[in-house]
Amino acid sequence: VAEHFNNAGFEPIPLLGRYNNVINNNPMEFGLDLTDLTSIGFDLRNDYRYFLVLEIKSGSTGTGEVEELEVIRHEQGVGTVIGRMNAPMEISGGNKKIYIPIDVPGSSDITPTYLYVPQKRLSVASFSSQEASGEGSANGRAIYALDNNSSTFWHSRWSSSPQPLPHYIVFEIDSTYTLNGFEYLPRQNSANGRIGEYDVYILQSRNDNNGVLISSGTFDNDGSVKRAFFEPVQGKFVKIVNKKSAGGDPNTCMAEFNLFYSAETAGNTSLEEPEETTTMSVHQYRSTLFISGVTGNAVFELFNLQGQKVKSLSANVTGSSVTQLDIANLDSGIYILKSFTDKQTKSVKVFIK
């Protein structure tokens, strides 16, 4: 929303129009940065459409014209027009909205990083509790986290026998996706139950009580949409846990929830990709990783998703020998294992349980 244009033609932000009782009839040109509408969620390989919405105040008697409207893609300092409005449009009247569409063709040169999993493919598999005192109302049922309506919300049980934190909700996708992020919208009519400190897990099934930790963090105490991104991981069941509410209250609320997936995983890792990669197999048994597929004088290094090295081992591996790496005291989650020899570098993603 371009709030800085809300008072166009009036004090304190004249932007041409009437100022000091003098009308400025010169053309006005301005630009809006649409990066947030292209970088997250949408597949720009397909055709898409923007709408410029002009809201005309009640009682307005002025007239004007939108002479030209373009969508420009800037790459390395060069701007290319990729969409235009069909013809100039007259602006007049009051108390109405005027919608100006611009069609933009898709581009096969774009590789989207974060795409929305269609919300209709998600369902609620389980939850710690819900406030279901009003059947069919917006008073807290878990299904309202997936109804594409920001006015409704899931709320942890509060009317009778409130359940203390932490609270959780598990979402099931109708098929496996390569997931790399999620989006959470807090309740919009109250500060109650905003998720503060959270964990996100990939579960093997709806009955999995543990899962693999893929993301942790904190959200600010406000009503804006929250997003978090993580290393791409295949999954069908996603569990989000609210460990501590942002406002300190004992509740959890969620107006909407969405997942992101990666069209291509190349380049999404937070660690530098090795120049050469070949097959390296890793198997975990209890507190040990068993590594095969690497021979010679090798150095093995295990990194967390923040790029910090948490384990290392040097070994002279001969033939089909298996190298053992102790992972005692490491938290569950996703790690990157790298091996270095004088001939090549190998890298593999490891899920430590």
Side-chain angles (χ1 to χ4, degrees), residues 225-299:
V225 64
K226 316 296 182 186
R227 296 188 180 108
F229 303 102
F230 44 81
E231 189 74 11
V233 54
Q234 287 195 332
K236 190 176 186 305
F237 296 89
V238 178
K239 177 180 182 179
I240 180 167
V241 181
N242 180 28
K243 299 192 295 184
K244 181 179 181 181
S245 295
D249 58 274
N251 306 295
T252 298
C253 291
M254 179 181 291
E256 288 297 308
F257 183 82
N258 281 289
L259 286 166
F260 295 107
Y261 74 96
S262 172
E264 294 184 12
T265 60
N268 286 353
T269 177
S270 61
L271 303 174
E272 182 181 355
E273 291 290 337
E275 294 182 359
E276 297 184 57
T277 58
T278 56
T279 303
M280 174 170 55
S281 298
V282 182
H283 172 71
Q284 179 184 351
Y285 180 70
R286 295 184 178 176
S287 60
T288 302
L289 290 183
F290 295 85
I291 308 165
S292 58
V294 178
T295 58
N297 290 315
V299 176

Side-chain angles (χ1 to χ4, degrees), residues 287-325:
S287 60
T288 302
L289 290 183
F290 295 85
I291 308 165
S292 58
V294 178
T295 58
N297 290 315
V299 176
F300 299 90
E301 295 181 345
L302 189 66
F303 297 84
N304 61 23
L305 293 185
Q306 288 71 49
Q308 300 169 322
K309 183 166 61 178
V310 295
K311 291 285 183 178
S312 63
L313 173 69
S314 298
N316 184 7
V317 187
T318 60
S320 58
S321 299
V322 175
T323 304
Q324 299 183 30
L325 179 62

